[in-house]
Amino acid sequence: MDPYTPTPADRFTFGLWTVGNVGRDPFGEPTRPPLDPTHTVAKLAELGAYGVNLHDADLVPDGSSASERDRIVARFKRALDDHGLVVPMATTNLFTDPVFKDGAFTSADARVRHYAIAKTMRAMDLGVELGARTYVFWGGREGAEVDGGDKLLDALAWYRDALDYLSDYARGQGYDLRFALEPKPNEPRGHAFLPTVGSALGFIATLQHPEMVGLNPELAHETMAGLSFPHAIAAAIDAGKLFHVDLNDQIMGRFDQDLRFGAENLKTAFFTVLLLEEHYDGPRHFDAHALRTEDEDGVWAFAAGCMRTYKMLAEKARRFRADPEIAEALAAYRADDPDGAWPPRYTAEHAAALKARAFELEPLRRRGPGLERLDQLTVELLLGVR
Ligand code: GCO
Ligand code: MN
Ligand code: MN
């Protein structure tokens, strides 16, 4: 079998909203018809995916009656069973309905904030019913254009109140759920609250149940902020907070593009995969969509491409670790101190000795760490000539 053909063991997931994206943009109407969620399940299973994620409204239109909801959910569950797909993650649409035009949990109107919490609890019930273990909070319209609205501090407090309330709800219901905050710097708002992985990490520490809450970083979002995605997920891993991940691609400084994984910046994709393969065992979720130019065949080519590129890069990551020349270059780069390992344990005596130590700085100033060679070896590995 082709080694890059995905299987459920690879744990690739897509959202109903990703492959189901109809190609609408601010300038133009949809270019593709909507997909029936059960058809999406069948196609994703055929392509080798592991699971499918959803917003409440991707499956059950807002305003459906209880019996309509149950009918839709039962039909969807049958499709999941028939095709062996799971739903590892669920989330709430808190952005399409105009009621959320100035935010959901951070709306200046308390009635909207309370409605957003109620909608999220119902969406959580749905997610748990479908088997989800991760619940994502993407800010959507949590943000502002007019700082004269004077809610910058209130918004953070309201956001915190909502997450604290919802974590108590999940615990009260006995749900086995972890929350994953998904930062984004802008779009659809001029300025989003919790714009980057770093800001979300700081915010989590202020919550009532910080242990329940981690991150769902997205490649495009950090890139839109002019930041490096591998650096961002390293920070999340370091904090023990990489609960989920949204993979796609994006040109820095452009509108939110949601490109196919690896479509734009293969090196960023490679170092992302290297970190994920070595430090993350959750689902690999592709939060991207086919170009607006594409028809349904293009959608499945897009989905297959995301997974295939990930697998090719995972193979490159294994080769990166096994490559003797790269290993030698890395060993040369990471120089030891013959006088002792770092970090030494602090004692007053050690600190005094360290302050008094006569460092031979001249060779350190002159030493070339070999990064040009190391980077070129990586490029050659990625281009398939080693
Ligand atoms: C975006 C976001 C969304 C979220 C989704 C799930 O830029 O629109 O990435 O796709 O990931 O709402 O939380
Ligand atoms: Mn996004
Ligand atoms: Mn996302």
Side-chain angles (χ1 to χ4, degrees), residues 181 183 194 196-206 214-215 232 235-237 239-241:
L181 307 185
L194 303 182
T196 61
V197 163
S199 48
L201 280 176
F203 184 71
I204 289 170
T206 71
L215 284 176
I237 291 166
K241 292 297 188 189

Side-chain angles (χ1 to χ4, degrees), residues 121-262:
M121 289 190 290
R122 281 195 298 272
M124 257 183 206
D125 300 341
L126 171 67
V128 169
E129 183 179 345
L130 294 170
R133 306 277 301 276
T134 303
Y135 203 83
V136 163
F137 291 83
W138 169 55
R141 297 195 187 269
E142 315 293 7
E145 293 79 26
V146 177
D147 290 344
D150 197 24
K151 66 169 184 181
L152 297 186
L153 283 170
D154 291 327
L156 292 170
W158 293 329
Y159 219 150
R160 179 179 305 115
D161 289 347
L163 289 168
D164 286 346
Y165 188 100
L166 291 165
S167 46
D168 278 341
Y169 176 72
R171 291 155 58 93
Q173 295 291 112
Y175 290 166
D176 182 14
L177 265 191
R178 296 201 299 180
F179 293 178
L181 307 185
E182 181 180 336
K184 185 174 183 180
N186 56 276
E187 271 200 65
R189 301 310 298 268
H191 298 282
F193 301 134
L194 303 182
T196 61
V197 163
S199 48
L201 280 176
F203 184 71
I204 289 170
T206 71
L207 299 174
Q208 232 159 53
H209 293 290
E211 73 290 346
M212 263 183 81
V213 186
L215 284 176
N216 178 35
E218 176 169 316
L219 197 157
H221 297 178
E222 296 301 305
T223 308
M224 287 167 71
L227 298 172
S228 149
F229 193 59
H231 287 229
I233 49 174
I237 291 166
D238 180 65
K241 292 297 188 189
L242 189 64
F243 284 11
H244 198 263
V245 69
D246 274 9
L247 300 172
N248 52 13
D249 215 340
Q250 172 73 33
I251 302 176
M252 208 174 265
R254 293 288 195 272
F255 64 93
D256 180 10
Q257 295 174 300
D258 284 335
L259 300 169
R260 192 181 73 258
F261 183 59

